Amino acid sequence: MANYKLQINGRSYETETEADTPLLWVLRDHLGLVGTKYGCGIAQCGACTVHLNGNAVRSCSLPVSAVGTKKITTIEGLSAHGDHPVQAAWHEVDVAQCGYCQAGQIMTASALLAKNPTPTAEQIDNAMNGNICRCGTYHRIHEAITLASSKMK
Amino acid sequence: METLTKTNRRDFLKLAAVAGGGLFLGFHWNSAEASAMEVIGADAMAEGTINFNSYLSISPENVITIFSPNPELGQNIKTSFPMIVAEELDADWTKVKVVQAALDSKKYERQLTGGSGAIPHSWERLRKAGATARQMLIEAAAQKWNIASASLTTDNGFVIHQESGRRWHYGELATEASALPVPSDVKLKDKKDFKIIGTAIHNVDNQEMITGKPLYGLDFYREGMLHAMIQRPLAFGMKIKSVDSAAAKAMPGISDVVVFKNNVAVVGKSTWQVNKARKLLKIEYEAEGAIESTADHDRLFKELLESKATTVRRKDGDVDTAFKNAAKVISREYQCPFLPHNPMEPMNFFAHVREDGVELVGPTQTPEMARGEVAKLLNMAPDKITLELTRLGGGFGRRLKADYVLEAAELSSLIKAPVKVIWTREDEMTGGSYRPAVRYRFEAALDKEGNMIGYKLRGVGINSGNCTREDNFPSGAVDHLLIDSIEHKSPITTGAWRAPITNFLAFAEQAFIDEVAAAAGKDPIQFRLSLLDKAKQSPVGAVKYGIDRMKTVIQLAAEKSNWGTKKDVSQGFSVYFSHRSYVAQVAEVVMVNGKPVIQKIIAAADCGVVVNLSGAYQQVRGGIVDGLGHALYSNITFKEGVPEQKNFNSYRLIRMKEIPEVDVHFVNNGIDPTGLGEPALPPTGGAVANALFKATGKRLYHQPFSKQEEMKGVNLGDRL
């Protein structure tokens, strides 16, 4: 067991846990940030996506000991009032069905747009291909990213 | 519009009562009679003697609250149920609050999500509830102002007196309305006057979902709650021989290792600790049933197709003579693999078993059944058990079973502590309850003119029950027909998987019909239409599908896809009736560098009245993506009882890059809703296989397509 100080959503958190605990379970079990979802545990589905210094990473496969001082953003901290352009577009396009994967989809999409505010359709496909949606809302995810991109210009 | 996501019935009642006045109506989903509605007074609320299972309240402040009792798993009923009530109430949608039910009524009927039945089942009751409240509000205004109620109308949450131009919002009238008798006969709106139904209304939980609020079972945490994972036998047909849990127990955070039934539960303080400790379990298993491999099933299927011990499901005319006299006979076999459901949220449930009662919290498609089974297991009266439903992170049929609820309850009773049991993805994929594997043989007899005079279908399924749908098309359209089935009992557990049986049967049938049409020298659409004409003009035996509704979707899909007129595009057709609704699809494939690319799917759906256009459109598109993905990529195989695919690195689900364009068209026929959660999925495999045949000349008989010899060297899902 060791003590970890984490920078999450602009706040400092402290937790006692084993070094190999994935960030996902620290967020969910230790810190009560359950917006980040468990889907596969092997970085294949993207449900657990968070930002680490602005990069989309799979928190299920990132040991807490590897986080260091890097800044973590989870879905809860993407915007203060749930109105990040990507979230607003998700609402406007009415993307979600069951909704379980959408936090991960939104985190991947927002990381993409932060780096490339005007992605091509193919760039969207490439960035989003690691995120599975079992309900099959891919068309709307794609549409919402395009919409968010147009509003961020 | 506002939504409350987590509440139990007591909170809801409190919420409605806090209003201090207003109108509070209780009604039953299990009765379409308006007389079964009742105004609920403050006394009844305080005493908790209320025994309705649904509510509608209007507060003096004009807040309308509607109780949405079905489990929400992405089919969007939490939005569409209230839309129906609000429509007949003539309410202002922006003033409507939606509350999810907890299960604590004695008499829930159909608090269940499955079979595409939520909307068809509740349609009339929801409408009557809204209409009853509306009529009471009109009556209240009439009495208050001494005006004839016939001179009053409603609009957008107001009762209006046209003559004088006066108007009152519903909240102003709600308290007076509550003193009136509940009318027994209310008039429903003419469907052409619908203002909310048929529009695209955003999901009421959008904001919670996109901001990561704790909505799902897996998100449920309770102070002092333990976490648990369960090791189930690695192979189907095995049982525990011995367990050495010393190493697991010695791990940090682990409080207990409990063996029950064929399970070894590791209990501890956190998910990760439990997950790590579980890997240190040393469990020996021994065979208790047949240990089967996929190769055994392949052999078995072929043997059983020759069996004489089948169950006849439907028999019309004399197939033997028809086949003897046929000018041409076509015989083909189709085989489908086992599939896990893989909802993105894995199985999980919270249980707290105490001496005096049980608290259950989690995601289930069948809360009433789950509670009943837990009651039986613990030998406890069902009314001592509460079940709070969370939002479901997908279901696809998996959460129709209560196995994972029972496990949690049994574990909690053994460790005498509150516990949340969670399944890993590997547990999900290796834990059984699969879509059954089935093999079909179809045979058709054609006469000299290319008319189908004989039709045979035999299905062999593993734990599949009746793996045919004997009264579906083309039954009724063929003079001589025989449909029979046989089941093999296996230790590999199976269950309902979105569009049970038809999710594969539709592909096989529609691919076969395509081949028969080709053998008859006829256009595949014309061939189907003439069969339907025959069923209409001279039906053979019972016809249990709507011939005209099926023809309409066929024609709409043909029209919207410009069937048969596109250059360099290979079109494949499919149509299927399932769960009361009709969907036709045209898949379009183009050849790029000598390889087929699935470019587009056009769907025409008849589900009766479309309640929420946004939800319905996505339900069809999502169903098609689901049907396509599994037809192309997915299967579970077994080696000596052990599932060989365990996670998304070896089990392929469709991803964004692989989806074709999908166009959806609805038939607007004003028929009461007939359901949409499943019917869009079954036709997709057939449409795609038929289009791939046109493009490549290769027929596909087995799923997943991408793993068949015929598609070797083709990366199905590649885009242009």
Side-chain angles (χ1 to χ4, degrees), chain A residues 20 28-29 37-40 44 82 87 91-92 94 97-99 125-126 129 134 136 138-140, chain B residues 74 202-203 206-207 210 216 218-219 221 271 276 341 391 425 614 618 626 647 654-655 657 660 719:
Chain A
D20 62 352
R28 292 184 59 84
D29 283 357
K37 298 296 189 245
Y38 166 78
C40 69
Q44 292 286 316
Q87 288 168 314
H91 182 61
E92 196 171 332
D94 204 21
Q97 278 194 247
C98 88
D125 281 349
N126 283 332
N129 214 48
R134 181 66 182 79
Y138 297 121
H139 294 94
R140 284 187 172 176
Chain B
H202 286 170
N203 194 310
N206 268 351
Q207 202 57 29
I210 63 185
Y216 304 91
L218 207 69
D219 301 342
Y221 285 77
T271 313
K276 268 171 77 175
H341 299 78
R391 191 178 179 85
R425 180 58 54 192
S614 179
Q618 179 50 39
D626 192 1
N647 206 324
I654 193 165
R655 292 170 185 268
K657 273 190 185 177
R719 296 248 192 91

Side-chain angles (χ1 to χ4, degrees), chain A residues 134, chain B residues 335-343 395-398 428-438 462 492-499 503-504 626-638 643 645 651-653 681 703-705 707:
Chain A
R134 181 66 182 79
Chain B
Q335 190 172 316
C336 78
F338 288 100
L339 292 180
H341 299 78
N342 268 327
F396 310 103
R398 178 63 184 88
E428 191 75 35
M429 290 184 58
T430 61
S433 198
Y434 305 110
R435 185 268 299 270
V438 180
I462 297 173
I492 297 170
T493 56
T494 62
W497 195 100
R498 192 181 193 184
N503 56 49
F504 182 87
D626 192 1
L628 176 68
H630 287 92
L632 293 184
Y633 304 127
S634 314
N635 66 332
I636 286 267
T637 54
F638 295 86
Q645 296 74 23
Y651 182 89
R652 187 170 171 191
L653 284 174
L681 186 152
Q703 290 183 3
F705 298 158
K707 293 186 181 171

Side-chain angles (χ1 to χ4, degrees), chain B residues 488-635:
Chain B
H488 167 69
K489 289 285 186 192
S490 163
I492 297 170
T493 56
T494 62
W497 195 100
R498 192 181 193 184
I501 300 299
T502 61
N503 56 49
F504 182 87
L505 176 61
F507 148 69
E509 174 199 298
Q510 290 294 304
F512 181 67
I513 297 276
D514 204 67
E515 227 177 310
V516 176
K522 293 180 182 166
D523 172 79
I525 289 188
Q526 283 312 317
F527 187 71
R528 287 169 175 88
L529 288 174
S530 21
L531 282 168
L532 288 168
D533 285 340
K534 152 103 179 139
K536 178 112 183 172
Q537 284 148 19
S538 47
V540 185
V543 177
K544 295 193 177 172
Y545 49 90
I547 295 168
D548 294 335
R549 291 181 74 182
M550 194 178 255
K551 277 182 76 168
T552 305
V553 293
I554 292 175
Q555 283 154 348
L556 184 62
E559 176 203 321
K560 296 293 180 186
S561 65
N562 296 310
W563 175 257
T565 63
K566 286 184 183 168
K567 218 176 151 245
D568 301 327
V569 175
S570 301
Q571 294 180 315
F573 186 82
S574 174
V575 61
Y576 209 71
F577 161 65
S578 62
H579 300 281
R580 302 170 296 275
S581 291
Y582 301 78
V583 181
Q585 291 174 21
V586 173
E588 299 189 338
V589 169
V590 292
M591 294 301 282
V592 180
N593 301 326
K595 297 204 171 142
V597 171
I598 305 160
Q599 198 175 31
K600 188 172 179 179
I601 295 174
I602 298 111
D606 172 3
C607 59
V609 170
V610 169
V611 176
N612 184 349
L613 194 57
S614 179
Y617 196 99
Q618 179 50 39
Q619 195 62 255
V620 174
R621 206 151 56 169
I624 289 171
V625 170
D626 192 1
L628 176 68
H630 287 92
L632 293 184
Y633 304 127
S634 314
N635 66 332

